[in-house]
Amino acid sequence: MRKLFDETRINRLALNNRFVRSATWEGMCEEDGRPTARLAAYYANLARGGAGLIITGYAFIRPDGKQLPGQMGIHDDSFAPPMRDLTAAVHGAGGKICLQMVHAGGQTSAKVIGTRPVAPSTLQTPQFPEEPAELSLQEIGNMVRLFGDAAARAKECDFDAVQLHAAHGYLINQFLSPLTNRRTDAYGGSIENRCRFLLECYASVRKGWVMNFRCWSSSMATITLPGG
Ligand SMILES: Cc1cc2nc3c(=O)[nH]c(=O)nc-3n(C[C@H](O)[C@H](O)[C@H](O)COP(=O)(O)O)c2cc1C
């Protein structure tokens, strides 16, 4: 029988044991999403404590996808040095680290992001009463590409895996749910249409991660893609 402390693998990703630290927002990044030495030390401590795999708190792929203070961002190439410090700290402590990627969609506020939140449809969510702007088809395409760019950036910064946050009412989840998706185009209506955004993000992330292909360079319902 397999035990918690046994070494294991997720595809090509070798783990010291089967303990996974679930994604948890720590609020330890700079205002713009840049990771700090404090966060690197925190993750290293978790790895030293025996977590085989650490999943980071949700990292926004575009500034308007941020939700909470101190949240990490994976939208900016200039964050590469502190990102690499963070992954090196975990690897140095014998652990592995997976980056969770998110866009908060309508579950944020103009106060946090400085612009009107975006969503599949102009429907408010209970805790975020601002009416979001509906994404156009072109904006959906851009968003899909940005998830892929974020994955490529994560790979370049030596993360071992990436995870798409498709739950908890954030943008991908808002496309999946008929409660927040009232679109009448190819991204709304049937379950196939409501899944389209998720599947396109997934394909884009695979391209970004596996082929290190960036569409453009800029500056559970979750899916994990192990490293390799
Ligand atoms: C403060 C806090 C922050 C969290 N941040 C995230 C997050 O960034 N991404 C995510 O997918 N889940 C997040 N979660 C959910 C946790 O990963 C976890 O699923 C939840 O706490 C339930 O875990 P449990 O069943 O072991 O209690 C967060 C939970 C808490 C309490």
Side-chain angles (χ1 to χ4, degrees), residues 59-63 65 73-75 101-103 143 146-147 150 153:
F60 53 90
I61 57 118
R62 199 169 78 171
I74 184 68
H75 57 294
M101 301 176 298
V102 76
H103 188 290
M143 196 73 83
L146 289 179
F147 270 101
R153 220 170 263 127

Side-chain angles (χ1 to χ4, degrees), residues 139-214:
E139 287 167 335
I140 291 175
N142 288 345
M143 196 73 83
V144 166
R145 283 192 280 277
L146 289 179
F147 270 101
D149 283 358
R153 220 170 263 127
K155 181 85 172 275
E156 286 160 17
C157 293
D158 303 324
F159 281 90
D160 300 292
V162 288
Q163 184 179 68
L164 269 179
H165 198 336
H168 302 175
Y170 300 122
L171 184 64
I172 296 176
N173 197 215
Q174 290 179 343
F175 272 93
L176 291 172
S177 171
L179 294 176
T180 43
N181 182 349
R182 299 286 166 80
R183 300 182 73 94
T184 53
D185 58 16
Y187 291 89
S190 65
I191 181 68
E192 287 79 13
N193 281 358
R194 284 183 281 117
C195 285
R196 194 175 309 282
F197 181 64
L198 167 64
L199 296 175
E200 288 182 357
C201 287
Y202 176 78
S204 177
V205 164
R206 281 207 80 88
K207 244 191 221 168
W209 180 267
V210 180
M211 294 158 58
N212 201 21
F213 173 83
R214 289 223 214 168

Side-chain angles (χ1 to χ4, degrees), residues 22-26 56-59 100 163 165 167-168 170 222:
S22 182
T24 310
W25 160 78
E26 302 88 0
T56 66
Y58 60 168
Q100 188 185 63
Q163 184 179 68
H165 198 336
H168 302 175
Y170 300 122
T222 52

Side-chain angles (χ1 to χ4, degrees), residues 77-90:
D77 288 335
S78 78
F79 293 1
M83 285 281 177
R84 290 205 183 98
D85 288 347
L86 189 149
T87 52
V90 172

